[in-house]
Amino acid sequence: MICLGVEGTAHSIGVGIIKGMRGRCHVLSNLIKTYQPEKGGIHPREAANHHASHIAELISDSVRHAGVDFSDINLVSFSQGPGLGPCLRTAATAARALALTLEKPLMGVNHCVAHLEIGRGTVPRCRDPVLLYVSGANTQVIAFAEGKYRVFGETLDVGIGNCLDKFGRSIDLGFPCGPKIEAFAKKGTRYLPLPYSIKGMDLAFSGLLTAAESYVTQGEHLEDVCYSLQETTFAMLTEVTERAMAHTEKQEVLLGGGVASNKRLREMVQTMAKDRGASFFVPARELCVDNGAMIAWLGLLMYQSGVRMSLDDSLINQRFRTDMVEVTWRG
Ligand code: AMP
Ligand code: MG
């Protein structure tokens, strides 16, 4: 089966085409266009306008890159949520129009679950991981338990990527700030204490963000502040992930989301996994960030397991929770 997936939860719009073969996901094309705010954060309406102006071209380019015809597509899927309302609606509208035109079935999928499934579908030996999903808006530790993907821990305020971007904006680093903070952090030598806030299994970043900003105003070296920000937040993320692994007795950890590009975070999670005798996995970079291929792959898994979606069921859901999904494709 060949599936085309449209992803549009936040700053990027992506169209991917995948082929499912013997339970594995083969990516035929995966194109992404990213909205860059001139200044400040993402304005949902402007991001949606950006997506609307690129989606038609992305769909035809993606079909061409994949070397298929429109008539080869068996299924159209899209990111149903969670995400920014105007962006979700733009992606969903495009997917509905395409499915209707091609007279092919439509499938709305959960974005967070797609980040996990693309790891299982493309990374060799990754079968039953705990996912540390670290993106701009989302920060969740997710694993499969008792028929569902459960959230074992998550942020109580902003996502880790947002925390880094907000800090970066306060010192005028351009969006996205994560890679720039990573570069500064490499040169840091002095750890400045920051609040380490884990509440139960959940995380909070806004307090330490304020504390990091005030170190800058106090004249501390930016390199040291970035270093301390990374060390503290990444240690928090690693701790919650480790506790979820201990609780679920899972032997694999998978990273997903844009922040998974960070080498220091990878190193910390990998060290934790090694100490536990567990395996550490990261999908290819283009499958870690928000992308259409992961949406296509989850759509295909759902469809092949018997899920069907009518147009009436295809409304977007900005607060689509990971554990609302009935997981029909796993035993
Ligand atoms: P996503 O929302 O999954 O597309 O991821 C976007 C987020 O990833 C933004 O907040 C970026 O600042 C962050 N990001 C990208 N590269 C890095 C990096 N090398 N280190 C930390 N954060 C990063
Ligand atoms: Mg994402």
Side-chain angles (χ1 to χ4, degrees), residues 13-88:
I13 179 83
V15 178
I17 299 179
I18 64 100
K19 187 172 186 169
M21 273 194 312
R22 278 176 250 115
R24 306 298 293 166
C25 168
H26 297 268
V27 179
L28 305 180
S29 66
N30 197 19
L31 304 180
I32 302 171
K33 289 251 184 230
T34 302
Y35 157 75
Q36 288 268 7
E38 268 168 33
K39 68 188 231 308
I42 302 170
H43 189 294
R45 179 43 47 209
E46 282 174 18
N49 288 344
H50 164 272
H51 299 353
S53 62
H54 287 102
I55 184 68
E57 192 186 342
L58 271 178
I59 290 174
S60 41
D61 286 354
S62 203
V63 169
R64 205 175 53 247
H65 276 240
V68 297
D69 283 326
F70 276 101
S71 57
D72 297 325
I73 295 167
N74 306 110
L75 175 72
V76 177
S77 69
F78 68 97
S79 49
Q80 199 167 12
L84 303 171
C87 301
L88 289 170

Side-chain angles (χ1 to χ4, degrees), residues 268-323:
M268 282 166 87
V269 176
Q270 188 165 22
T271 303
M272 177 274 284
K274 199 160 162 239
D275 286 350
R276 303 184 57 78
S279 308
F280 168 80
F281 301 118
V282 196
R285 206 199 91 79
E286 62 276 16
L287 297 174
C288 241
V289 299
D290 292 348
N291 68 91
M294 70 177 189
I295 301 300
W297 174 234
L298 177 53
L300 184 138
L301 290 174
M302 290 170 68
Y303 188 83
Q304 289 189 328
S305 72
V307 181
R308 298 291 180 269
M309 182 170 281
S310 69
L311 270 187
D312 289 345
D313 298 330
S314 73
L315 284 180
I316 59 117
N317 181 355
Q318 279 167 264
R319 300 187 193 286
F320 192 0
R321 296 271 316 166
T322 303
D323 47 16

Side-chain angles (χ1 to χ4, degrees), residues 11 135-136 161 164-165 176-179 182 257-259 261-262 290:
H11 53 72
S135 72
L164 297 171
D165 292 335
C177 307
E182 180 174 15
V259 186
S261 306
N262 189 291
D290 292 348

Side-chain angles (χ1 to χ4, degrees), residues 91-147:
T93 305
R96 282 187 207 109
L98 184 64
L100 284 172
T101 310
L102 300 177
E103 298 181 357
K104 289 292 149 61
L106 178 70
M107 191 70 68
V109 313
N110 180 287
H111 174 93
C112 306
V113 174
H115 272 292
L116 194 144
E117 286 300 346
I118 196 65
R120 295 208 320 132
T122 60
V123 183
R125 300 186 318 282
C126 177
R127 293 187 188 99
D128 185 21
V130 169
L131 169 71
L132 172 58
Y133 171 34
V134 279
S135 72
N138 296 300
T139 299
Q140 292 188 331
V141 175
I142 303 170
F144 185 70
E146 318 237 340

